[in-house]
Amino acid sequence: MLSYAGVDNSHFLEACTLCSKPLGHNTDIFMYRGNNPFCSQECRQEQIEIDEAREKRWKIAKKSRTKTKVQTGTLVVA
């Protein structure tokens, strides 16, 4: 099976994104962020929490990189 972009998607819904458990043909599949299938609500929720923690760490790191250093003192100009 080829997608519109020519990418092979033949294994798209065969296994859970988190735990790699095979997905049954007659069972519920829980989706998250587009094309990520999960075998259960628990696996899906765990991935959501992982992504939220990663995003929080990224925002904190970005904030600490963009802080400007302010030097205090006296400047004498002649």
Side-chain angles (χ1 to χ4, degrees), residues 1 16-17 23 39 43 46 48 54 57 62 73 76:
M1 172 181 182
C16 177
T17 299
L23 300 174
C39 64
C43 276
E46 187 172 339
I48 290 169
R54 183 181 301 135
R57 285 192 308 272
K62 182 179 178 185
V76 178

Side-chain angles (χ1 to χ4, degrees), residues 15-21 37-38 42-44 46-47 50:
C16 177
T17 299
L18 187 68
C19 71
S20 301
K21 177 182 171 184
F38 296 89
E42 291 79 14
C43 276
R44 180 180 175 270
E46 187 172 339
Q47 185 64 53
I50 290 168

Side-chain angles (χ1 to χ4, degrees), residues 10-64:
S10 59
H11 302 291
F12 169 60
L13 293 175
E14 288 188 4
C16 177
T17 299
L18 187 68
C19 71
S20 301
K21 177 182 171 184
L23 300 174
H25 294 288
N26 292 325
T27 60
D28 289 338
I29 297 174
F30 302 87
M31 301 299 291
Y32 171 63
R33 287 203 171 171
N35 297 330
N36 294 318
F38 296 89
C39 64
S40 66
Q41 289 178 330
E42 291 79 14
C43 276
R44 180 180 175 270
Q45 185 60 40
E46 187 172 339
Q47 185 64 53
I48 290 169
E49 291 169 5
I50 290 168
D51 290 350
E52 287 174 349
R54 183 181 301 135
E55 186 175 328
K56 185 176 181 180
R57 285 192 308 272
W58 180 81
K59 285 180 180 181
I60 291 170
K62 182 179 178 185
K63 189 181 252 188
S64 68

